[in-house]
Amino acid sequence: QVQLVESGGGLVQAGGSLRLSCAASGRTFSNYNMGWFRQAPGKEREFVAAINWSGTSTRYADSVKGRFTISRDNTKNTVYLQMNSLKPEDTAVYSCAADQPGTTRSMALYYNYWGQGTQVTVSS
């Protein structure tokens, strides 16, 4: 089992920045690829970004490419999502998730462990 706890969400004005953190405990963090997903009210959950176990490969949704950066610190068992140039359409609950190592994947069904999520609200 892997336990994941997100933090860092909040209310920010359009154009602002936030950094989300996801702290992992349980099994060895560096054994897992990690991903960030988001879900807005009335919408399906969507992929945001993913990073492989070593931090050497990343993948982004087109909607956040160039604005968001995913990173990880395996010594701290933590994955981060730096979000810049935020837009009102980025408003959602953001959740981190763990996947087995290998090619980074964007489909939620491949991720076995999930955090509870943290709310991000971007005002216009």
Side-chain angles (χ1 to χ4, degrees), residues 45-57:
R45 181 166 52 193
E46 66 172 343
F47 170 76
V48 176
I51 188 167
N52 73 335
W53 66 273
S54 62
T56 57
S57 177

Side-chain angles (χ1 to χ4, degrees), residues 27-106:
R27 293 187 176 178
T28 305
F29 177 67
S30 58
N31 286 348
Y32 296 90
N33 289 359
M34 298 296 295
W36 284 97
F37 292 78
R38 67 186 182 186
Q39 188 166 20
K43 295 187 177 181
E44 293 188 354
R45 181 166 52 193
E46 66 172 343
F47 170 76
V48 176
I51 188 167
N52 73 335
W53 66 273
S54 62
T56 57
S57 177
T58 57
R59 176 194 292 253
Y60 295 93
D62 288 343
S63 58
V64 306
K65 206 170 290 184
R67 299 189 298 123
F68 291 11
T69 302
I70 188 171
S71 62
R72 67 189 296 162
D73 185 341
N74 287 345
T75 67
K76 296 182 178 179
N77 292 347
T78 302
V79 61
Y80 305 97
L81 185 68
Q82 177 66 44
M83 305 186 295
N84 299 330
S85 303
L86 282 161
K87 305 174 181 180
E89 52 263 44
D90 294 319
T91 295
V93 175
Y94 285 71
S95 300
C96 64
D99 185 16
Q100 60 186 348
T103 302
T104 53
R105 300 189 282 197
S106 60

Side-chain angles (χ1 to χ4, degrees), residues 7-9 17-21 71 80-83:
S7 62
S17 298
L18 281 175
R19 188 176 83 155
L20 305 183
S21 299
S71 62
Y80 305 97
L81 185 68
Q82 177 66 44
M83 305 186 295

